[in-house]
């Protein structure tokens, strides 16, 4: 079973995503175990402070090192060999081959969601990997963590219904997009399903699908 811990100031953001669809099924079938750690609980003082102004001036607040260190140490007490991953727009780009490799490497993960305008750089001493999901800036790492986690969990053995549906679909080789697909009815508002798909000729169907698989831009 793959163990995934998530350190965040917004645990409620994960509820819908982790408890629906494949992620829910994966937990039910004990393929994955999620644990959400609320960074606020590691905040300092009676107000549970987690952020402060940057030395040298500048806009915004930074996540302070102490709460992040305590939360990561807490996660490591649950799982000492887990890899610590920081979600940050400065990270390495997340791509499908990485999802495949992280799904199959047997490693457990601690995802740390950055928030606000940034974090104290010293937390990087506890981080094994920095990941970004693309060249745009999100308010926090939560949506990125969900994206990365979903892309891994669906590839864990036993999660997808048809065992080869993850293989043939879009991006499984990192380049090709899936062919167009159709279901009933045969004619919908004057729009027809391509004849070849109704032909029962598997060789012709395979050829059509190959021809109609688009390359990713
Ligand atoms: Cl991982 N975090 C934030 N805040 N923004 C992002 C991102 C991560 N990846 C792309 N944009």
């Amino acid at each position: 079973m793959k163990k995934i811990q998530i350190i965040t100031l917004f645990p409620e953001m994960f509820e819908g995503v982790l408890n629906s669809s494949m992620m829910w099924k994966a937990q039910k079938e004990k393929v994955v175990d999620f644990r959400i750690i609320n960074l606020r609980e590691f905040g300092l003082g009676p107000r549970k402070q987690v952020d402060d102004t940057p030395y040298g001036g500048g806009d915004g607040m930074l996540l302070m090192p102490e709460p992040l260190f305590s939360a990561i140490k807490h996660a490591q007490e649950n799982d000492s060999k887990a890899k610590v991953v920081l979600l940050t727009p400065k990270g390495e780009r997340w791509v499908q081959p990485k999802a495949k490799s992280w799904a199959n490497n047997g490693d457990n993960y601690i995802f740390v969601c950055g928030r606000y305008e940034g974090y104290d750089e010293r937390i990087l001493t506890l981080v094994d990997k920095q990941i970004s999901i693309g060249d745009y800036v999100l308010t926090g790492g939560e949506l990125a963590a969900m994206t990365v986690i979903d892309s891994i969990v669906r590839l864990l053995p036993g999660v997808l219904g048809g065992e080869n549906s993850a293989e043939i679909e879009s991006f499984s080789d990192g380049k090709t997009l899936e062919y167009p697909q159709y279901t009933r009815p045969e004619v919908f508002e004057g729009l027809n399903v391509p004849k070849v798909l109704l032909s029962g000729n598997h060789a012709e169907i395979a050829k059509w699908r190959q021809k109609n698989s688009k390359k990713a831009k």
Side-chain angles (χ1 to χ4, degrees):
M1 178 161 61
K2 206 166 193 75
K3 286 191 194 152
I4 295 181
Q5 301 185 79
I6 301 156
I7 297 171
T8 173
L9 280 172
F10 299 92
E12 68 282 359
M13 285 181 72
F14 289 85
E15 271 168 34
V17 170
L18 298 187
N19 294 318
S20 309
S21 184
M22 292 236 195
M23 304 253 251
W24 178 77
K25 187 181 164 230
Q27 290 179 83
K28 201 180 58 166
E29 295 183 356
K30 308 224 182 295
V31 171
V32 69
D33 176 63
F34 295 119
R35 187 174 297 202
I36 307 285
I37 296 166
N38 189 346
L39 181 60
R40 182 65 61 186
E41 289 171 16
F42 298 88
L44 302 186
R47 298 184 51 234
K48 300 284 178 195
Q49 185 183 356
V50 293
D51 58 352
D52 207 342
T53 52
Y55 280 119
D59 283 339
M61 302 287 274
L62 305 182
L63 291 174
M64 303 157 76
E66 297 97 321
L68 279 167
F69 264 69
S70 308
I72 293 170
K73 296 278 187 222
H74 172 79
Q76 286 173 330
E77 280 163 23
N78 298 329
D79 191 349
S80 62
K81 290 200 288 267
K83 296 275 188 291
V84 177
V85 180
L86 176 68
L87 284 313
T88 163
K90 294 185 204 165
E92 238 180 78
R93 176 75 67 88
W94 186 251
V95 289
Q96 187 65 16
K98 283 203 184 90
K100 248 188 178 171
S101 126
W102 290 29
N104 292 301
N105 61 9
D107 284 342
N108 293 330
Y109 289 97
I110 298 164
F111 288 96
V112 180
C113 301
R115 261 276 149 175
Y116 304 130
E117 287 76 12
Y119 44 83
D120 186 292
E121 194 76 6
R122 288 168 290 189
I123 71 157
L124 296 184
T125 56
L126 295 186
V127 167
D128 297 305
K129 295 240 185 275
Q130 300 180 56
I131 294 292
S132 161
I133 62 166
D135 293 338
Y136 38 82
V137 180
L138 302 168
T139 316
E142 282 79 7
L143 290 170
M146 290 181 216
T147 301
V148 167
I149 290 167
D150 184 290
S151 69
I152 294 169
V153 168
R154 60 189 294 285
L155 297 178
L156 293 172
V159 176
L160 272 187
E163 282 307 321
N164 64 6
S165 41
E167 280 306 316
I168 56 172
E169 76 184 34
S170 304
F171 292 113
S172 59
D173 64 2
K175 288 192 270 313
T176 315
L177 283 163
E178 188 173 81
Y179 44 77
Q181 300 192 90
Y182 300 85
T183 184
R184 285 184 293 183
E186 228 177 276
V187 183
F188 173 69
E189 301 207 339
L191 303 168
N192 293 295
V193 173
K195 281 262 173 322
V196 59
L197 300 179
L198 311 170
S199 68
N201 182 334
H202 296 296
E204 283 302 314
I205 291 170
K207 218 197 284 176
W208 184 90
R209 286 179 168 172
Q210 180 66 35
K211 199 179 92 196
N212 288 279
S213 295
K214 290 225 171 68
K215 291 289 173 198
K217 292 200 186 70

